[in-house]
């Protein structure tokens, strides 16, 4: 069971990196423009100013680079992988996973704005699973995983997302604990 969970964690880790990258690259001044172009829906921001083109760019790029790095260090360790990376275009998969993670996060922001929940305010369980659901949807266009693997990924996201957010808070990368 432990090895199974490590495989799931390892496979979805690039999407987690994509989800964290916008916060890590907020110091970059260019492309800092909202993805909703400051448009409004029913007199509220569509996604809000925190969802930027810069965040999408660096999140997707980080996912692609991290996934490529993963494939180079795993090499012939196929027993630890849930897909065969030698038969996979890792840049396409990285793009789909990264875009999916950020798209899921943006959709969650859309619904938070509708419920008038401010950015950064904790919204369980949606803050924990938005990115993994988006990743699953978009990567499933290219890679097939069994349903139990997908459910395991969602369950792990419920645990690991708050843990990594808390670490970001401790290291003063994030303003909120969760």
């Amino acid at each position: 069971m432990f090895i199974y969970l490590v495989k799931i964690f390892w496979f979805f880790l690039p999407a987690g990196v994509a989800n964290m990258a916008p916060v890590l690259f907020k110091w970059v001044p260019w492309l800092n423009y909202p993805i909703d172009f400051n448009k409004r829906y029913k007199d509220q921001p569509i996604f809000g100013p925190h969802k930027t083109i810069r965040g999408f760019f660096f999140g997707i790029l980080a996912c692609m680079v991290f996934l490529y790095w993963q494939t180079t260090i795993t090499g012939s360790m196929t027993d630890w992988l849930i897909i065969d990376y030698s038969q996979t275009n890792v840049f396409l998969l990285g793009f789909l996973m990264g875009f999916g993670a950020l798209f899921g996060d943006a959709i969650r922001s859309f619904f938070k704005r509708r419920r008038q929940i401010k950015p950064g305010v904790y919204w369980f369980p949606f803050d924990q699973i938005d990115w993994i659901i988006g990743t699953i949807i978009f990567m499933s266009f290219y890679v097939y995983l069994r349903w139990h693997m997908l459910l395991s990924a969602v369950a792990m996201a419920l645990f690991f997302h708050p843990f990594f957010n808390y670490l970001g808070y401790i290291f003063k990368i994030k303003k909120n604990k969760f």
Side-chain angles (χ1 to χ4, degrees), residues 81-96:
L81 305 175
I82 59 175
I83 67 168
D84 182 1
Y85 288 113
S86 68
Q87 303 295 315
T88 305
N89 181 332
V90 293
F91 295 108
L92 175 60
L93 180 58
F95 175 83
L96 292 171

Side-chain angles (χ1 to χ4, degrees), residues 63-80:
C63 187
M64 292 169 67
V65 169
F66 193 86
L67 182 58
Y68 177 76
W69 173 77
Q70 272 187 319
T71 62
T72 60
I73 66 166
T74 53
S76 61
M77 298 175 8
T78 56
D79 291 345
W80 287 88

Side-chain angles (χ1 to χ4, degrees), residues 14-43:
V17 169
N19 192 44
M20 291 186 293
V23 174
L24 298 175
F25 286 94
K26 65 183 175 186
W27 57 270
V28 176
W30 54 279
L31 298 176
N32 187 22
Y33 200 75
I35 60 171
D36 62 10
F37 299 102
N38 292 317
K39 301 291 182 198
R40 299 176 78 74
Y41 174 74
K42 293 190 177 184
D43 208 29

Side-chain angles (χ1 to χ4, degrees), residues 32-151:
N32 187 22
Y33 200 75
I35 60 171
D36 62 10
F37 299 102
N38 292 317
K39 301 291 182 198
R40 299 176 78 74
Y41 174 74
K42 293 190 177 184
D43 208 29
Q44 294 177 351
I46 296 172
F47 301 115
H50 297 93
K51 304 299 172 213
T52 64
I53 295 170
R54 173 188 61 206
F56 263 75
F57 175 80
F58 283 109
I60 293 167
L61 180 64
C63 187
M64 292 169 67
V65 169
F66 193 86
L67 182 58
Y68 177 76
W69 173 77
Q70 272 187 319
T71 62
T72 60
I73 66 166
T74 53
S76 61
M77 298 175 8
T78 56
D79 291 345
W80 287 88
L81 305 175
I82 59 175
I83 67 168
D84 182 1
Y85 288 113
S86 68
Q87 303 295 315
T88 305
N89 181 332
V90 293
F91 295 108
L92 175 60
L93 180 58
F95 175 83
L96 292 171
M97 291 177 81
F99 182 84
L102 299 169
F103 183 79
D105 188 61
I107 294 300
R108 187 244 324 136
S109 290
F110 174 82
F111 287 107
K112 276 180 99 169
R113 301 300 83 81
R114 305 295 73 73
R115 295 182 54 98
Q116 299 181 0
I117 300 171
K118 294 187 186 325
V121 173
Y122 188 66
W123 193 30
F124 183 82
F126 306 106
D127 285 336
Q128 290 70 40
I129 62 171
D130 57 355
W131 66 276
I132 197 78
I133 301 276
T135 299
I136 288 168
I137 290 168
F138 279 86
M139 66 114 214
S140 68
F141 291 116
Y142 186 61
V143 172
Y144 171 77
L145 295 182
R146 301 178 84 148
W147 66 269
H148 61 86
M149 293 177 173
L150 303 176
L151 288 177

